[in-house]
Amino acid sequence: ILYHRQRDGTQDDSPLLDRRSTRDLLNIETLVRRENTSARLLRTAEGCARIVWPLPEPRPMVSLIVPTRDGREHLWRCIESLRSYTRSYTNGRDFEILVVDNQSTCPETLTYLKRIGADTNRANGPSIRVLRYDRPFNFSAINNMAAREATGEVLGFLNDDVEATHPDWLEEVLGQVSRPGIGCVGVKLLYPDGNVQHAGIVLGMGGVAGHPLRHAEGRSPGYFGRLQMVHNVSAVTGAALFIRKALYQELGGMDEEGLVVAFNDVDLCLKALAAGYRNLWTPFAEFIHHESVTRGHDRSEENAARLAREEAAMVARWGGRLQGDPYYNVNLTQAREDFALAQVVRESR
């Protein structure tokens, strides 16, 4: 336990770090400095402790991987946001964007891909390479191919329907993913209306895995301040997932055979846990996620059968581990995403 607070019997409704905050911060800082002497400890506006981990020196090369297909408008929004909100990272010289085109046929999309692939002016931001994946959609295979082509020491997997919203997100992600013992890092994803889309993944919630606090108000504290603090999770979504390339290769990448579309991100995170690494989620790097713009919501019989196969593959591979998330209390329900007590949910049915 890094920090524990016990009431002394007096009424006190103040934030997590209350009137004793100076002492509390010093105690936490002492523990943090044991891991990294350059780490900084801040108190957020919400009264929580935030640890700012330093970037490695020299700064690692970063490769952002963005699969796409026939979606010029949302791809343009994604690319422009990355260009706008990563300029502080040595003016784009230390990271690249790999756009993976999966059989686009839309003329506007093809024209845009040709243009950004030919733009070598580093004054416009990072270098962009357009790769071709000329086979049926396979999310795992697309990302594995791009990872092999990437020159970065850190990989960032991004859906083409995400949009960066602030300038220091990359520094936050790199500070976390570069720490010893950290596997996959996820970020805060918001729907366009400002509500939460992703704040980590809980195993067994709604089936194989689910998104806790989905649709919660984006600036709310969440369950015990969960939406305002960095914390460990079992898994994070592949819509915005960051990992060191060496570790990605060590884990064997994503499963191209059994998990073509769904759960490949959860599987990767579970492999990281099994190898002794910790996955975490941070609210201090934030994107808007225009969810499922790329492929839409496919409710066909073929898609349902494919999803059932991939669910079965996860159950066969991970078994009971899917029903015992170590970062989620057993007394909380897995039938809903709001951290309700399991007993209360059962009694309400």
Side-chain angles (χ1 to χ4, degrees):
I1 297 175
L2 178 62
Y3 174 83
H4 176 71
R5 175 185 173 193
Q6 184 175 357
R7 291 186 181 274
D8 57 9
T10 61
Q11 183 63 34
D12 184 359
D13 296 322
S14 54
L16 176 64
L17 296 178
D18 59 5
R19 60 183 179 275
R20 298 165 295 180
S21 61
T22 300
R23 185 191 68 192
D24 295 333
L25 286 172
L26 288 174
N27 290 339
I28 298 173
E29 187 172 36
T30 299
L31 296 173
V32 169
R33 289 292 177 87
R34 294 177 185 176
E35 180 173 336
N36 192 308
T37 57
S38 299
R40 293 184 294 124
L41 195 66
L42 306 177
R43 178 175 176 170
T44 68
E46 296 80 16
C48 301
R50 177 190 176 186
I51 304 167
V52 180
W53 300 98
L55 297 179
E57 290 295 343
R59 293 191 177 189
M61 178 72 178
V62 180
S63 297
L64 303 180
I65 296 170
V66 186
T68 193
R69 179 176 182 176
D70 285 332
R72 188 264 181 200
E73 182 176 350
H74 50 265
L75 177 62
W76 173 84
R77 181 173 53 218
C78 175
I79 297 298
E80 290 307 305
S81 73
L82 295 176
R83 281 174 160 170
S84 298
Y85 292 119
T86 48
R87 294 189 187 279
S88 62
Y89 194 70
T90 61
N91 296 318
R93 289 190 296 273
D94 289 337
F95 80 103
E96 62 179 355
I97 299 174
L98 304 181
V99 178
V100 189
D101 175 33
N102 180 210
Q103 298 181 322
S104 290
T105 58
C106 167
E108 290 81 4
T109 300
L110 293 173
T111 299
Y112 178 67
L113 291 172
K114 183 177 180 179
R115 178 167 65 82
I116 62 174
D119 186 358
T120 59
N121 183 2
R122 287 299 183 90
N124 294 333
S127 65
I128 299 178
R129 286 192 283 155
V130 177
L131 308 177
R132 308 291 176 181
Y133 183 83
D134 193 21
R135 280 170 281 179
F137 180 80
N138 182 323
F139 187 76
S140 296
I142 288 171
N143 283 313
N144 286 344
M145 182 198 75
R148 290 191 294 270
E149 294 288 330
T151 61
E153 301 161 69
V154 173
L155 303 177
F157 299 98
L158 298 174
N159 280 12
D160 65 353
D161 56 354
V162 301
E163 179 182 358
T165 61
H166 61 88
D168 57 351
W169 71 267
L170 184 57
E171 284 81 355
E172 167 65 13
V173 165
L174 288 176
Q176 299 290 357
V177 80
S178 301
R179 294 167 55 197
I182 297 300
C184 301
V185 173
V187 304
K188 189 175 188 178
L189 298 180
L190 301 176
Y191 288 112
D193 64 4
N195 290 337
V196 173
Q197 189 272 325
H198 173 257
I201 289 175
V202 170
L203 302 178
M205 182 173 282
V208 171
H211 291 245
L213 297 175
R214 183 163 51 173
H215 299 294
E217 199 282 317
R219 301 306 168 201
S220 65
Y223 182 75
F224 279 84
R226 190 182 182 96
L227 293 177
Q228 297 174 345
M229 293 183 284
V230 176
H231 59 273
N232 291 119
V233 292
S234 286
V236 297
T237 179
L241 183 154
F242 301 85
I243 186 173
R244 296 185 302 279
K245 183 177 180 178
L247 177 56
Y248 189 78
Q249 294 171 327
E250 175 187 330
L251 300 176
M254 296 185 186
D255 181 1
E256 302 180 15
E257 302 298 328
L259 302 172
V260 171
V261 177
F263 306 121
N264 31 50
D265 45 7
V266 177
D267 181 65
L268 177 68
C269 291
L270 288 178
K271 289 192 290 187
L273 285 181
Y277 296 91
R278 292 182 293 118
N279 304 315
L280 61 80
W281 175 86
T282 174
F284 302 113
E286 182 180 289
F287 288 77
I288 296 172
H289 187 195
H290 306 268
E291 187 181 27
S292 296
V293 171
T294 308
R295 303 187 64 245
H297 294 281
D298 185 355
R299 295 182 174 89
S300 66
E301 291 185 6
E302 179 182 357
N303 183 65
R306 186 268 309 157
L307 179 60
R309 289 193 302 272
E310 294 178 341
E311 287 179 341
M314 287 293 290
V315 172
R317 182 170 303 164
W318 297 106
R321 189 160 191 170
L322 298 177
Q323 302 305 318
D325 192 316
Y327 303 107
Y328 188 71
N329 194 292
V330 294
N331 297 297
L332 301 177
T333 183
Q334 291 185 326
R336 294 182 356 198
E337 300 169 332
D338 59 356
F339 286 77
L341 288 171
Q343 182 178 346
V344 172
V345 173
R346 287 194 298 267
E347 292 174 351
S348 66
R349 291 180 176 176

